[in-house]
Amino acid sequence: MSDRAPVLYLSHGAPPLADHPHWPAELAAWAGELPHPTAILMISAHWEAAPITLGATTTVPLVYDFSGFPRHYYEVVYPAPGAPDLASKVRALLGGQVHDAPGRGLDHGAYVPLKEMYPAADVPVLQMSLPTLDPTELFAIGRTLAPLRDEGVLIVGSGFFTHNLRALTPDDEHVHAFTAEFDDWGARALAEGDLDSLLDFRHRAPAPHLAHPRTEHFAPLFVSLGAGADDLATLRTPVDGYWLGMARRSIQLG
């Protein structure tokens, strides 16, 4: 078996997704099938900063970047070790100007899924900002970061396969037609390895402006696709279905 780490894109949800009847177990089972990572590089929809910025390389408090939820969601902790060695490798690969944010902890796009996947918080984690929402540029960044996989680094893009908070439904069974159509289109494009269509989703996908009024939750997918471009033929979908009308599709490459 190759020691090369896979690449993930997952739909992370708001903190209450941790209370979903299936999602935590799905993530735990998925992590259990993966080779244990030497470190994790997280690219979350909830951190946009240019140029590329790296988060804390020591354990600092989490970023509770949400409001209006019950108190216990603000009491969650995830004291994963920092990853200064990984930060150095990311800087070396990217070259040019990479900023640091030593006081910025993991946001909920990072710690909510990681708490389900690696509850012991024993894997070093580094979060990297999205410097742009342009799919082609993000894909190129992913390609540049791909060598990290050979050192056992798990690269994770964390977003949501569809994300329209004005079109939520009362439960997981009711789904707007535009969400189902976008999810089906994306599933087929991924299965066919149709990168051209995915990168140009704003023009080729059905109702993209309804599925993603703003594209920050789809953007991490392109970093993941870039990092895993050599493994499109191995693509699998460990998680799918819907949550309050949004598609939870999550993929693995490699």
Side-chain angles (χ1 to χ4, degrees):
M1 180 180 293
S2 171
D3 292 331
R4 197 177 203 215
V7 181
L8 314 184
Y9 168 80
L10 54 83
S11 296
H12 65 253
L17 192 51
D19 300 325
H20 190 274
H22 308 301
W23 187 73
E26 289 171 337
L27 286 193
W30 187 5
E33 297 169 357
L34 300 174
H36 196 71
T38 58
I40 298 171
L41 179 62
M42 292 291 304
I43 302 95
S44 162
H46 296 283
W47 190 17
E48 297 175 54
I52 290 173
T53 306
L54 303 180
T57 56
T58 59
T59 304
V60 299
L62 301 176
V63 176
Y64 303 102
D65 53 337
F66 45 83
S67 60
F69 291 103
R71 180 177 179 82
H72 68 275
Y73 292 117
Y74 302 89
E75 296 173 343
V76 172
V77 296
Y78 192 75
D85 291 344
L86 176 56
S88 296
K89 292 171 183 175
V90 169
R91 291 188 198 97
L93 287 170
L94 293 174
Q97 192 176 35
V98 176
H99 283 188
D100 293 286
R104 191 187 194 279
L106 304 175
D107 62 43
H108 82 269
Y111 75 76
V112 167
L114 289 180
K115 193 168 181 66
E116 307 303 332
M117 299 180 79
Y118 301 101
D122 57 352
V123 181
V125 180
L126 177 70
Q127 187 167 348
M128 186 186 88
S129 72
L130 285 168
T132 176
L133 297 181
D134 180 82
T136 301
E137 293 182 29
L138 292 171
F139 183 85
I141 291 168
R143 292 294 287 161
T144 301
L145 295 171
L148 295 171
R149 299 176 56 196
D150 294 321
E151 301 185 38
V153 175
L154 183 67
I155 299 173
V156 182
S158 179
F160 223 106
F161 204 74
T162 66
H163 191 261
N164 185 340
L165 296 181
R166 294 187 176 183
L168 296 180
T169 61
D171 54 47
D172 297 352
E173 305 304 318
H174 293 82
V175 179
H176 292 287
F178 69 79
T179 299
E181 290 167 4
F182 186 96
D183 184 45
D184 177 69
W185 172 86
R188 287 185 286 107
L190 287 167
E192 295 165 6
D194 188 355
L195 289 175
D196 289 340
S197 291
L198 289 162
L199 291 169
D200 193 28
F201 77 98
R202 277 298 202 184
H203 299 102
R204 303 199 194 186
H209 297 286
L210 291 176
H212 289 281
R214 194 169 182 276
T215 62
E216 80 282 0
H217 276 75
F218 209 46
L221 172 66
F222 301 112
V223 181
S224 297
L225 288 174
D230 295 336
D231 291 306
L232 285 173
T234 72
L235 185 143
R236 55 186 293 257
T237 306
V239 179
D240 60 8
Y242 300 92
W243 181 59
L244 303 183
M246 296 188 293
R248 296 190 295 126
R249 184 168 302 280
S250 303
I251 66 167
Q252 175 179 332
L253 299 162

